Amino acid sequence: MAERNVKHLDTPKAPTLVITKYMGSKKAILPFVVEELTRLTEPGDIIVDLMAGTHTIGYAMKNRCRMVANDIQRYSMVIGQTLLNYEPKPRFEGDVKSALRRLYLSNARHLEGSFENALKLERAMLSNESSRKPNWSTYSEFCESYPFISRETNATGWPEEFQILFSQHRLEAYRTLNKLEPYNLFSLYFANAYVGVRQALEIDSLRYAIDKICDEWVVERPELGYDSFLLRCLLMCALISCVNKVNPGPGHWAAFPRVSQRNKDWIISQRRLEIYDIFIQKVGEIELALAKNPSPHGPHIVSSEDFVAFMREVHEYIRQAKVVYLDPPYSQGHYSRFYHVLETLTKYDYPEVSFAGRYRKDRHQSPFAQKENVPKAIGHICEVARDAKTLLVISYSQGGIIPTADAFRAILEGFYPAEKIELKRLASVHSKLGQTERMKTEEYLFTCRP
Ligand SMILES: C[S@@+](CC[C@H](N)C(=O)[O-])C[C@H]1O[C@@H](n2cnc3c(N)ncnc32)[C@H](O)[C@@H]1O
């Protein structure tokens, strides 16, 4: 097997557009991967990205290649459609922007009525005026006692009529009657946990306005030239970006930090952020970036399926493709748990939830995060790529479930002769989301030739 240590990267800077922080994002080592993909492809070739996450690879390569991208998480599809296919023409401004504001306000007014008391209490607690500001422990108590869907203990101190908003009975109506108004999922599930009460109202109201704009307003005005599907993806990306920005946690949603003396200033400053304003700014920023990085090879295919079904479905593309690229999870943390808030924001389906983190019960369990199942999953991908006579490029990190390059190569050698496997290594550091220390590690890039 050919092996090379890459010490220094000469590749020019590849374009990036980060919608949310993401575990395992290739942004930090983008030139390492892009250099290899560029070496292996000619302009116009197809790259199949099996587990595209935040689509850093597709965004960097869409100038050169046609992407056929996939990920099991639905938010990833929204990000991919935007980064790969959205053309910011016409811009999101003028009448459409005013209509969004009006729709936002109409949902917000509804929620302001229902959540009036909680909003008033929160406003005082987050106030900048020291005379109004209560002790942090009062704010902590406010958050801890707050009702939510699936709360098993009594929400002490909250009137009965307020708690009814969170009742199972009402929830069933939201589940059954699709798009029942007002939109209030975040207000019922995540307020005073991952976001503030006001912020939950803003997210719900933006989510409502996005649906109304794309399902109705834009559809009724075809002369304006918006593509309602892609516009929804752009606006959802901006909302995902906002939810990422106000997250008091370390770049994922596996748990929310409880208010304490140590973190109170940080949590309060995060809860003061006004989502509507950030949202409008994000839409503009994303449009601007996309205008600077168009693709001559679109439309790109972006899908949201388990990789096995996806590979079956796009088998003809795999045969035509130059490269199948695989960047799988490499640790035991399931993306469906770490990013459940983004998945629920996207699906907006009032799911059943469990555990302190309020995770969706239907979350996906990836074989790549289960030691006993990784070899079989890798084997399946090797067989499909090899039999289609397409190059297979795999990113992996030292210290993952398959801990070393030798152990990973041993799996690959079950499907390819040793001389057909190349390995490049790059010394790197991992920022472990949620921990301050950075860990020295090595990134691997295996290229397997059929
Ligand atoms: C390391 S991340 C990919 C990161 C991506 N390259 C980026 O730069 O953002 C691994 C991805 O695999 C996806 N995934 C896990 N199991 C999957 C499966 N069975 N089918 C499809 N995608 C899966 C996860 O949702 C996650 O987004």
Side-chain angles (χ1 to χ4, degrees), residues 20 22-27 30 49-57 70-73 75-76 304-308 310 325-330 334-336 339 364-369 395:
T20 177
Y22 206 58
M23 263 174 8
S25 154
K26 289 293 147 290
K27 178 172 177 271
L30 196 54
D49 187 355
L50 289 179
M51 299 186 186
T54 49
H55 294 263
T56 40
I57 299 304
N70 174 62
D71 196 286
I72 187 85
Q73 300 296 134
Y75 58 79
S76 168
S304 173
E305 285 185 79
D306 180 68
F307 71 94
V308 176
F310 173 73
Y325 174 67
L326 170 66
D327 182 21
Y330 62 87
H334 285 284
Y335 281 78
S336 55
Y339 297 94
H364 168 256
Q365 307 287 309
S366 180
F368 281 94
S395 285

Side-chain angles (χ1 to χ4, degrees), residues 323-367:
V323 174
V324 170
Y325 174 67
L326 170 66
D327 182 21
Y330 62 87
S331 71
Q332 283 177 354
H334 285 284
Y335 281 78
S336 55
R337 182 164 74 88
F338 280 72
Y339 297 94
H340 68 102
V341 168
L342 301 187
E343 194 68 356
T344 295
L345 175 65
T346 307
K347 292 184 170 159
Y348 212 77
D349 56 354
Y350 295 87
E352 279 194 55
V353 291
S354 54
F355 296 108
R358 308 178 198 177
Y359 312 136
R360 306 174 62 87
K361 280 192 179 167
D362 66 357
R363 61 193 184 280
H364 168 256
Q365 307 287 309
S366 180

Side-chain angles (χ1 to χ4, degrees), residues 152-294:
E152 282 166 6
T153 56
N154 209 8
T156 325
W158 293 94
E160 189 75 12
E161 63 273 21
F162 183 64
Q163 294 200 37
I164 285 173
L165 288 174
F166 300 81
S167 66
Q168 202 56 34
H169 194 62
R170 194 164 168 271
L171 184 62
E172 283 306 329
Y174 271 94
R175 278 192 191 135
T176 319
L177 303 170
N178 188 23
K179 309 219 160 151
L180 191 61
E181 297 173 17
Y183 280 27
N184 64 177
L185 188 159
F186 266 60
S187 301
L188 300 182
Y189 282 67
F190 300 134
N192 277 336
Y194 297 103
V195 294
V197 180
R198 171 93 219 162
Q199 290 177 331
L201 172 153
E202 289 188 279
I203 293 165
D204 286 325
S205 302
L206 276 165
R207 188 66 184 71
Y208 168 78
I210 292 171
D211 274 358
K212 284 280 166 192
I213 283 286
C214 300
D215 291 345
E216 294 170 20
W217 197 92
V218 156
V219 177
E220 286 157 12
R221 293 165 182 78
E223 70 283 3
L224 295 181
Y226 291 103
D227 175 321
S228 63
F229 172 73
L230 287 176
L231 180 64
R232 181 198 299 280
C233 292
L234 167 78
L235 299 178
M236 283 302 300
C237 264
L239 192 51
I240 288 172
S241 237
C242 292
V243 173
N244 171 59
K245 171 134 179 123
V246 302
N247 182 9
H252 61 68
W253 291 266
F256 53 88
R258 307 220 111 100
V259 182
S260 68
Q261 179 138 35
R262 197 174 47 81
N263 67 18
K264 64 180 189 314
D265 292 336
W266 166 244
I267 293 193
I268 287 175
S269 71
Q270 284 298 93
R271 296 268 157 97
R272 282 185 184 139
L273 294 172
E274 296 197 5
I275 292 187
Y276 186 86
D277 296 343
I278 302 172
F279 173 81
I280 295 295
Q281 192 186 331
K282 292 277 179 201
V283 173
E285 285 170 9
I286 298 170
E287 282 187 322
L288 205 66
L290 292 173
K292 288 189 189 147
N293 187 29

Side-chain angles (χ1 to χ4, degrees), residues 126-159:
L126 301 183
S127 163
N128 259 327
E129 296 167 35
S130 49
S131 58
R132 292 176 70 201
K133 205 160 45 178
N135 187 299
W136 70 266
S137 61
T138 315
Y139 182 54
S140 167
E141 178 55 27
F142 171 70
C143 295
E144 292 293 326
S145 70
Y146 199 71
F148 58 88
I149 294 297
S150 82
R151 186 180 177 116
E152 282 166 6
T153 56
N154 209 8
T156 325
W158 293 94

